[in-house]
Amino acid sequence: MLGYVLRRLAGAIPTVFIIVTIAFFMIRLAPGGPFDLERPLDPLIMENINRAYNLDKPLWQQYFLYLGNLAQGDLGPSFTRRDFSVVDLFRTGLPVSIQLGGTALAIALVVGAFLGALAALRQNTWVDYMVVGTATLGITIPTFVIAPVLSLFFGVMMGWLPAGGWGGGRWQYLVLPVATLALPQIAIIARLTRGATIEALRSNHVRTARAYGLPSYVVVGVHALRAAILPVVSYLGPTAAALLTGSVVVETIFGIPGIGRYFVQGALGRDYTLVMGTVIVIAMFVILFNLIVDILYAVLDPRVRYD
Amino acid sequence: MAEETILAVRDLHVEFQTNDGMVNAVKGIDLDVRRGETVAIVGESGSGKSQTTMAIMGLLASNGRARGSATYRGQELVGLPERQLNRIRGKKITMIFQEPMTSLDPLYRIGRQIAEPLRYHARMSGKAARARVIELLDLVGIPNPAERVDAYPHELSGGQRQRVMIAMALANDPDMLIADEPTTALDVTIQAQILALLADLQKKLGMAIVFITHDLGIVKRFADRVYVMRSGEVVETGDTQKLFDAPEHPYTQMLLAAEPTGRKDAVPSDAPILLEGRDVEVVFSTGGSWFGKANGEIRAVDGISVALRAGQTIGIVGESGSGKSTLGRALLRLMPGDGTFRFEGMDISHADKRAMRPLRKRLQLVFQDPFGSLSPRMTVGQVVTEGLKVHEPSLKAKERDRRAIEVLEEVGLDPSMRNRYPHEFSGGQRQRIAIARAMILKPQVVVLDEPTSALDRSVQKQIVDLLRDLQKAHGLSYLFISHDLAVVRAMADYIIVMRRGQIVEEGPTETIFDNPAQPYTQALMAAAIDGTPFRRTDIEN
């Protein structure tokens, strides 16, 4: 198993390299640059700035310079947020995004799996219809609708919770953004769990457990739910990566200093290094969580073996 | 028989609520099981035999409902709350199923699964249960039980998994064991082992067995009494011997007569050789990973020579994994293989796809699965005439249609049904469609890969008759691949017995059946042919 993990991690290096290369040249293809303003700068100043950021060199040289710095863990200076390096920005923003996304993920998993399993066990009753109906609603309403509505109602109208801001991560500030992030995930996980549980309940080995008169908590808890969890686990890989690397919508609407905003801000401002940094961080999270999922799979399902 | 009745079923109905309305699967049957006896419930697919026992055990699907009465030692089971039912099932009445591959939970070790009924019914401690499990595994003939107790189901073969299920069934010394087609998914020699084991255990432990099966051969050797079911009703019941000697109901008579009969005469020894393969080898490499290096190879076909003469039927017999299907495909050059291949004397060993194309018309293949091998999105007419479009592109649509009508009539289907889709047909009809698809090209050689295995016995017999008629009418040569010896015996004049990619024995059909020389062939025959009592020592290897 350890050998497998090491091999997978080694395999991640070329993957990241390819992503970096494609992202590097793609962002450079976009018209405009980081220092283009509505009123053009004096050419002499422009030249100085370009020299300072190595933007005057041929593209291939810039590419190798970037790779060289990257190998040392240096993601370069941010072009639009002077005095900050991209690493600095992540160092302050990433923990915020992880705290926010991690809380949302944990809540979504617990609540979603519970509701999904409950609906499956009460299939075709009002409980089932409620869960499925609410889940469908949860999937169809986009976060950019949920977020302002929650903020308006609980923050502005009722005044129960802060309408926005981070407040150093105190729980009052977490509630609304976490709810916004978690709601659609609860809906998806509930639907997934419900389907998988229904299938597991119909499977032959659950029939065996029932035929042997095992109490229903054993039939369901031991034999059906463990099988039902497998598809949920594989869904969690990319989802965890997406949630932990921050949400543009939620961070923008609630004014949260995470890294989710950087992707859009960086792209719009042609902040090349910031965009590249975001791409790399997201890629690493995706690779890491897919690996974690694969390992979890092997733990949960003895038929899966990597050697 | 003065033994007390332990299970009494009276006027049992089973209904399913479906989108097409109410389906009555079981329509008021009576059934008795006495202490220590073996009762067989026989019927073809859809007869309601499985649903009867599912209803008794409270295992009907959620849209199913049972009415009537089924009492176990005076206790009414129909409508009994789950809690009370759980005091009986798994303890007094246990069950083994048709699907040994999926009836065990793949996520838990077998020891834990066998122990579960012990822990919840007999309230045994984990340690005591484990000791009992090892004892049970030994009883059902699992080698190294102390070690295998920690195996996962996927680490066991189908036969071993069924033994594990039997161990689980025996755990609490049940009064009655329901065996729902327990050997159908297994190879014949394994089948015989499992049946011998059940018979042996019954003698030792004295439980009653309710045996659900479609296989009359098993019933004859195994059961004391028989219930014959058809469309949800019991049409006949009686002592096995009496029922087999003098069946009263026409359906029973039909079932008994459904064993394929008749023999095929050998072809003259100077009949020309049509299709020939010499020293055929097909090797698969296994476990090749992303970083190269395959860690092994399987010799699926390992140096076999076959010569199929005009008008001949060669039966290729073997258990799953013996390489018989691979050999058939390699001979048709549908699968890469080494060796020398000839068709009508022409060397086709190195013929590529394009060179083979003009020959394909004359070399046809019919598959086992009549459900999977017909495109669900094409009408029967399209399915049947598709080959004509490729091989006789000059034919006009009208002419193709005429050929389709001709061939459908020949295989016994109503040609007016050619605009319907395959799902509207039964398994037997679909197999006729598949045969028509091959026959429309007027082939010389047809490889039939288990063409009757997915069908009920009575339908099997019809397909065998059809294939023989077609052979006579068109002078066809068949390569008949099957694990079913009764069918092969009726079809083939020459038999090749395969095991692990090699020929164990070959010869004319009578010789193989009457005087098998090799122990493996003898074991196969003993396992498959009527009238031989089970002996456990027969087939252990």
Side-chain angles (χ1 to χ4, degrees):
Chain A
M1 180 63 113
L2 186 68
Y4 170 77
V5 172
L6 291 177
R7 246 181 310 153
R8 279 283 296 269
L9 289 176
I13 292 169
T15 312
V16 172
F17 172 75
I18 291 167
I19 291 170
V20 166
T21 306
I22 293 173
F24 185 89
F25 289 104
M26 265 175 64
I27 179 92
R28 296 309 177 102
L29 281 177
F35 307 110
D36 291 344
L37 299 174
E38 272 178 39
R39 197 164 55 90
L41 285 171
D42 184 86
L44 206 68
I45 299 173
M46 195 68 176
E47 210 174 290
N48 276 330
I49 294 177
N50 277 343
R51 192 174 315 123
Y53 286 99
N54 287 326
L55 290 173
D56 57 335
K57 300 211 168 66
L59 197 56
W60 63 269
Q61 266 186 20
Q62 292 182 42
Y63 172 66
F64 284 108
L65 269 171
Y66 185 79
L67 283 187
N69 290 335
L70 181 62
Q72 296 163 35
D74 179 5
L75 294 172
S78 169
F79 288 175
T80 50
R81 291 162 191 256
R82 305 294 142 78
D83 307 327
F84 286 102
S85 75
V86 172
V87 172
D88 288 335
L89 291 175
F90 285 141
R91 200 172 286 147
T92 52
L94 195 55
V96 171
S97 290
I98 289 180
Q99 190 184 349
L100 186 63
T103 315
L105 184 70
I107 289 173
L109 184 58
V110 172
V111 177
F114 174 78
L115 287 179
L118 190 70
L121 294 173
R122 303 266 179 281
Q123 204 192 343
N124 298 329
T125 64
W126 65 270
V127 179
D128 186 24
Y129 299 140
M130 281 277 289
V131 171
V132 173
T134 317
T136 310
L137 208 66
I139 293 170
T140 44
I141 302 179
T143 45
F144 60 76
V145 175
I146 298 178
V149 167
L150 288 181
S151 176
L152 185 70
F153 185 75
F154 291 102
V156 179
M157 285 164 64
M158 310 305 287
W160 292 343
L161 293 160
W166 182 236
R170 267 175 289 139
W171 70 267
Q172 297 93 325
Y173 289 87
L174 270 170
V175 175
L176 294 182
V178 162
T180 310
L181 278 178
L183 281 174
Q185 297 304 332
I186 289 174
I188 295 172
I189 292 172
R191 288 183 65 114
L192 258 178
T193 312
R194 176 182 178 272
T197 308
I198 287 173
E199 207 187 305
L201 285 172
R202 284 195 195 130
S203 68
N204 286 335
H205 70 260
V206 167
R207 180 186 63 189
T208 304
R210 291 179 58 210
Y212 278 81
L214 304 183
S216 46
Y217 67 86
V218 176
V219 175
V220 174
V222 176
H223 292 288
L225 286 186
R226 182 153 164 199
I229 260 178
L230 292 174
V232 179
V233 167
S234 49
Y235 170 74
L236 281 184
T239 308
L243 282 179
L244 297 180
T245 50
S247 148
V248 182
V249 174
V250 170
E251 289 182 7
T252 307
I253 291 176
F254 289 104
I256 291 166
I259 65 162
R261 302 164 301 159
Y262 292 154
F263 210 20
V264 173
Q265 288 173 4
L268 292 177
R270 301 286 183 273
D271 190 338
Y272 298 146
T273 46
L274 187 57
V275 170
M276 293 298 299
T278 315
V279 167
I280 291 168
V281 168
I282 292 176
M284 291 198 315
F285 267 80
V286 169
I287 290 169
L288 183 70
F289 277 94
N290 278 327
L291 177 61
I292 291 174
V293 162
D294 286 350
I295 293 169
L296 262 179
Y297 233 93
V299 172
L300 288 171
D301 188 343
R303 287 166 297 183
V304 177
R305 282 283 169 267
Y306 312 110
D307 294 300
Chain B
M1 285 252 189
E3 289 285 4
E4 63 181 311
T5 298
I6 54 174
L7 181 77
V9 175
R10 292 291 174 269
D11 195 29
L12 183 74
H13 293 257
V14 178
E15 296 151 345
F16 289 95
Q17 184 74 54
T18 70
N19 290 335
D20 303 329
M22 207 62 125
V23 174
N24 296 309
V26 179
K27 303 165 187 162
I29 67 159
D30 293 351
L31 188 144
D32 289 294
V33 181
R34 300 183 196 117
R35 205 159 68 94
E37 74 169 343
T38 303
V39 172
I41 307 177
V42 185
E44 302 197 311
S45 45
S47 62
K49 56 191 192 300
S50 285
Q51 294 311 331
T52 302
T53 51
M54 291 294 174
I56 295 169
M57 294 289 277
L59 294 175
L60 290 175
S62 56
N63 62 338
R65 211 166 65 84
R67 278 191 295 122
S69 159
T71 51
Y72 166 74
R73 292 188 183 272
Q75 165 89 339
E76 179 61 58
L77 299 179
V78 174
L80 192 65
E82 185 131 333
R83 264 169 177 279
Q84 287 164 45
L85 195 57
N86 279 350
R87 284 186 210 138
I88 294 170
R89 40 182 202 188
K91 189 177 183 194
K92 298 293 178 195
I93 307 177
T94 58
M95 198 163 181
I96 57 177
F97 300 94
Q98 179 173 359
E99 308 87 354
M101 306 312 271
T102 53
S103 293
L104 293 165
D105 192 330
L107 305 182
Y108 296 97
R109 297 177 196 279
I110 57 165
R112 174 179 171 155
Q113 296 187 55
I114 302 171
E116 274 180 331
L118 288 169
R119 299 187 51 188
Y120 293 106
H121 292 299
R123 299 273 154 213
M124 263 190 206
S125 70
K127 213 171 161 190
R130 188 179 164 92
R132 170 83 174 130
V133 167
I134 294 174
E135 203 181 290
L136 285 163
L137 286 175
D138 190 41
L139 184 69
V140 298
I142 298 273
N144 295 331
E147 219 170 275
R148 298 309 268 170
V149 65
D150 290 322
Y152 285 102
H154 73 274
E155 294 166 337
L156 305 178
S157 68
Q160 284 177 320
R161 288 187 215 191
Q162 201 59 293
R163 285 172 191 269
V164 169
M165 279 302 299
I166 294 172
M168 196 161 152
L170 298 177
N172 287 313
D173 287 325
D175 224 7
M176 186 171 121
L177 169 68
I178 300 172
D180 187 355
E181 303 253 11
T183 60
T184 305
L186 303 171
D187 276 328
V188 276
T189 53
I190 312 290
Q191 227 172 68
Q193 291 173 16
I194 295 289
L195 292 171
L197 172 68
L198 282 174
D200 191 38
L201 290 168
Q202 186 182 26
K203 211 174 287 166
K204 264 189 224 161
L205 307 172
M207 69 216 162
I209 293 184
V210 176
F211 205 99
I212 302 168
T213 184
H214 67 278
D215 188 337
L216 287 160
I218 293 177
V219 174
K220 194 171 176 181
R221 284 178 284 175
F222 206 67
D224 301 322
R225 285 191 307 121
V226 186
Y227 289 84
V228 180
M229 279 189 76
R230 184 196 194 184
S231 343
E233 287 166 10
V234 172
V235 296
E236 187 166 359
T237 174
D239 289 344
T240 307
Q241 201 56 49
K242 226 178 83 198
L243 192 112
F244 271 79
D245 290 346
E248 278 168 20
H249 195 277
Y251 181 71
T252 316
Q253 291 165 359
M254 194 276 285
L255 270 186
L256 285 173
E259 290 274 317
T261 49
R263 299 286 176 263
K264 185 180 175 305
D265 295 326
V267 292
S269 54
D270 59 345
I273 293 177
L274 272 185
L275 183 66
E276 189 181 10
R278 292 205 158 277
D279 307 319
V280 179
E281 276 187 19
V282 180
V283 179
F284 299 117
S285 55
T286 57
S289 73
W290 220 60
F291 292 95
K293 67 167 188 255
N295 28 14
E297 52 174 39
I298 295 174
R299 307 186 75 78
V301 178
D302 192 2
I304 287 187
S305 298
V306 188
L308 180 66
R309 292 175 188 275
Q312 191 178 31
T313 301
I314 296 183
I316 301 181
V317 175
E319 299 185 301
S320 50
S322 60
K324 53 192 192 302
S325 291
T326 310
L327 174 66
R329 282 172 175 65
L331 284 172
L332 290 185
R333 309 301 292 131
L334 287 168
M335 181 175 266
D338 295 325
T340 315
F341 299 88
R342 282 178 206 284
F343 178 59
E344 292 189 309
M346 184 172 69
D347 191 338
I348 53 169
S349 310
H350 305 287
D352 57 9
K353 260 190 185 163
R354 184 193 289 236
M356 281 306 293
R357 192 162 297 147
L359 304 180
R360 288 268 168 251
K361 184 168 144 27
R362 294 188 279 160
L363 297 167
Q364 284 293 308
L365 178 64
V366 174
F367 299 97
Q368 167 174 7
D369 176 11
F371 294 90
S373 60
L374 302 176
S375 166
R377 284 175 193 76
M378 287 166 80
T379 65
V380 169
Q382 288 169 332
V383 166
V384 169
T385 55
E386 196 182 20
L388 279 182
K389 285 191 187 165
V390 178
H391 291 289
E392 294 178 43
S394 59
L395 278 187
K396 298 229 162 35
K398 215 169 173 185
E399 180 63 13
R400 275 204 305 271
D401 200 43
R402 196 185 59 74
R403 290 272 290 272
I405 293 173
E406 235 175 64
V407 78
L408 287 172
E409 271 173 354
E410 193 169 13
V411 300
L413 289 172
D414 179 358
S416 65
M417 300 200 285
R418 67 190 182 285
N419 292 323
R420 297 208 195 155
Y421 289 87
H423 72 264
E424 300 172 60
F425 294 85
S426 70
Q429 286 175 316
R430 287 189 214 204
Q431 202 54 287
R432 285 174 195 267
I433 296 167
I435 292 168
R437 168 168 67 176
M439 291 304 162
I440 200 168
L441 297 170
K442 306 197 185 305
Q444 285 165 288
V445 173
V446 184
V447 173
L448 301 154
D449 191 352
E450 303 261 14
T452 60
S453 301
L455 308 173
D456 278 329
R457 262 291 185 220
S458 56
V459 184
Q460 255 178 26
K461 185 181 155 84
Q462 297 164 9
I463 296 291
V464 165
D465 289 342
L466 169 67
L467 288 170
R468 277 198 302 225
D469 291 346
L470 289 169
Q471 181 169 43
K472 231 172 260 164
H474 301 282
L476 300 167
S477 305
Y478 288 147
L479 207 61
F480 192 88
I481 299 167
S482 183
H483 70 276
D484 187 337
L485 288 157
V487 175
V488 173
R489 186 185 209 174
M491 282 290 301
D493 53 83
Y494 191 87
I495 286 176
I496 292 175
V497 181
M498 279 185 74
R499 190 186 197 192
R500 293 177 192 145
Q502 292 177 330
I503 293 182
V504 176
E505 188 167 359
E506 60 180 310
T509 304
E510 305 91 83
T511 317
I512 295 285
F513 273 83
D514 299 339
N515 291 308
Q518 296 298 320
Y520 179 71
T521 319
Q522 290 163 358
L524 267 187
M525 297 298 156
I529 301 308
D530 266 12
T532 327
F534 290 111
R535 280 193 313 264
R536 200 169 170 191
T537 45
D538 267 354
I539 6 228
E540 302 287 343
N541 52 354

